[in-house]
Amino acid sequence: MKTWVLFLSLCFVAVVAAQSTDEQGSTTDEWGDDWVVDTSPWSQSGFFELAWGERISDDVLFSDQTTLGEMRWQQNIDYGHEKFDFKWSHDIWFDDVDGHLLFDLRELNFKFSLFDQTDVVLGRQITTWGTGDLLFINDQFPKDWVSFFSGRDDNYLKAPADALRLTSYFKAFNVDLVITPTAEPDRFINGERFALFAPFVQSNVGGFEVVNPRNPSQTEYALRVFKNINGHQFALYGYHGIEKSPTGVDNMMQPYFPKMNAWGASYQSTLGKGLFNIEVGYHDALDDQAGSNPLVANSQWRVLMGYERELIKKLNWGVQYYVEHTEHHERLLAHSLFPLTEPDKNRQVITNRFTYMAKQDKLTWSMFVFYSPSDEDSYWRPSVNYRHNDQWQYTVGAQVFTGKNKHTFFAQFEDASNLYTRIRFQF
């Protein structure tokens, strides 16, 4: 943890608190009544949270079966000026699983406009686009899979990156360009908190840092051209950068992030009483375009179709069908060291999300299920959230993995299945 950043953060919070208090103006009108107007351009919010999670069954690779144990403080600070906006957001938490006090600067950026048609966001930021619900094709921005599998709030699935974002609005179409000077990979599963399947030993490995990749250094470029025409949303995507997880192994047998281009498109519109979306993308593996290197993932076509609607009052349902088509699959099997554990040529995933709101929308029941008919594995995410008032929230949930074969994506985490609970105080 960078001590100076933590110190600066704490000082900044103190300054904002003082600024907000000092700049509240008191005015007396002609009737002699006092009233207070908050004229401060500063605003702040945040929360304190206690979270705990435990494996449902013991994983013999770990002496401690705790998957989530933390005291967390998130602080958000905004400053609005007539010419720019400033945003600061950080998390500080004690992680009982690894025994460390940790700091994560999630946002630190300036937003301003150029030429009355271009918005600029400069600095640390969280970016997302695409049409999928927890499935990503053209969204090549970093994800935090450790948080996602641990039972942290879903917002933590999106990880931050230091970037420049330019969004320009034209009559014919709109353009989004995100430049990340130093590539920001996913916060991937590396074996420290959850075990993963290792092809070279043909079994799960965990309890230590199994995957320690070579850090990427190249620049990432992400482009989106989009337009809304009478409620029909169209978008084209382009990306040049890296695979977000270390799917390659170099000549020194060290994992690394292979170079990759991605091209895609999406469409979203109403259909009947619901919302329909379709998204397609081609992931071009630049380090193995022939598909004959078993140590680098092959190029893939990825397709997603989804539909969501309200079934009955307060009950929403969403379904998705997703396919990963691996190019040169026969060549991959012919050169693979472990052909029996390679992914299928057409890996399929079906998702269902059910969300029910009750008690004046204070109580939320949720179930999200991933099921792969090709891999014969699944991932279940039930949760219940109760919002007692504007300050207090309580959440309980589970992460349950099942599968027939240990090498498939969801089945490898079967021993990581866990129960979790969170208590949050917002301010």
Side-chain angles (χ1 to χ4, degrees), residues 105-119:
L105 183 61
R106 295 188 62 77
E107 292 184 277
L108 177 57
N109 59 69
F110 289 90
K111 181 179 180 180
F112 53 93
S113 296
L114 293 175
F115 314 118
D116 296 326
Q117 65 179 23
T118 299
D119 292 334

Side-chain angles (χ1 to χ4, degrees), residues 1 29 38 45 60 81 83 135 181 201 255 280 311 383 394 416:
M1 181 182 64
D29 64 16
D38 186 0
S45 63
V60 297
H81 189 273
K83 294 185 177 180
L135 291 172
V201 296
V280 60
L311 293 178
S383 68
Y394 309 93

Side-chain angles (χ1 to χ4, degrees), residues 36-246:
V36 177
V37 176
D38 186 0
T39 59
S40 173
W42 296 90
S43 63
Q44 66 86 28
S45 63
F47 63 80
F48 295 102
E49 185 175 80
L50 295 175
W52 171 87
E54 194 84 7
R55 286 180 175 82
I56 295 173
S57 58
D58 289 351
D59 187 334
V60 297
L61 297 173
F62 294 84
S63 57
D64 187 353
Q65 301 307 314
T66 302
T67 56
L68 183 65
E70 58 189 39
M71 296 180 290
R72 179 181 293 267
W73 166 38
Q74 182 180 103
Q75 182 68 54
N76 305 304
I77 298 169
D78 295 277
Y79 177 81
H81 189 273
E82 60 181 11
K83 294 185 177 180
F84 68 89
D85 293 318
F86 171 78
K87 187 173 184 62
W88 173 299
S89 177
H90 71 247
D91 280 49
I92 300 174
W93 73 102
F94 177 77
D95 193 332
D96 191 50
V97 176
D98 61 17
H100 291 99
L101 181 66
L102 302 172
F103 175 83
D104 189 15
L105 183 61
R106 295 188 62 77
E107 292 184 277
L108 177 57
N109 59 69
F110 289 90
K111 181 179 180 180
F112 53 93
S113 296
L114 293 175
F115 314 118
D116 296 326
Q117 65 179 23
T118 299
D119 292 334
V120 181
V121 183
L122 177 63
R124 195 160 183 83
Q125 55 191 284
I126 296 173
T127 309
T128 184
W129 60 40
T131 64
D133 183 6
L134 301 183
L135 291 172
F136 307 98
I137 294 180
N138 294 296
D139 184 333
Q140 296 300 314
F141 305 106
K143 317 295 187 300
D144 187 342
W145 298 108
V146 177
S147 291
F148 190 64
F149 289 168
S150 297
R152 292 174 181 146
D153 190 285
D154 284 357
N155 289 329
Y156 287 105
L157 174 59
K158 300 297 294 188
D162 298 326
L164 168 65
R165 181 173 184 176
L166 304 171
T167 306
S168 297
Y169 303 91
F170 304 101
K171 186 174 182 180
F173 54 82
N174 308 309
V175 178
D176 232 348
L177 174 64
V178 180
I179 302 174
T180 308
T182 301
E184 187 71 43
D186 286 351
R187 299 175 180 182
F188 52 89
I189 305 298
N190 67 357
E192 289 184 306
R193 189 171 302 224
F194 302 112
L196 70 162
F197 182 79
F200 289 98
V201 296
Q202 290 290 287
S203 66
N204 268 22
V205 180
F208 61 97
E209 188 180 19
V210 177
V211 184
N212 183 17
R214 189 174 72 229
N215 290 328
S217 59
Q218 71 180 84
T219 301
E220 294 178 278
Y221 302 91
L223 178 69
R224 177 177 64 142
V225 179
F226 60 103
K227 181 68 175 178
N228 188 320
I229 304 176
N230 298 325
H232 300 271
Q233 299 180 35
F234 301 88
L236 299 174
Y237 307 88
Y239 170 80
H240 174 72
I242 61 169
E243 292 282 356
K244 306 306 287 187
S245 293

Side-chain angles (χ1 to χ4, degrees), residues 282-298:
Y282 178 66
H283 289 207
D284 187 6
L286 299 180
D287 290 356
D288 184 29
Q289 292 184 310
S292 57
N293 184 350
L295 301 181
V296 177
N298 284 27

Side-chain angles (χ1 to χ4, degrees), residues 298-313:
N298 284 27
S299 300
Q300 287 186 333
W301 280 97
R302 300 182 182 184
V303 180
L304 166 70
M305 292 185 291
Y307 185 73
E308 59 179 290
R309 59 161 295 178
E310 186 178 58
L311 293 178
I312 58 176
K313 187 176 181 179

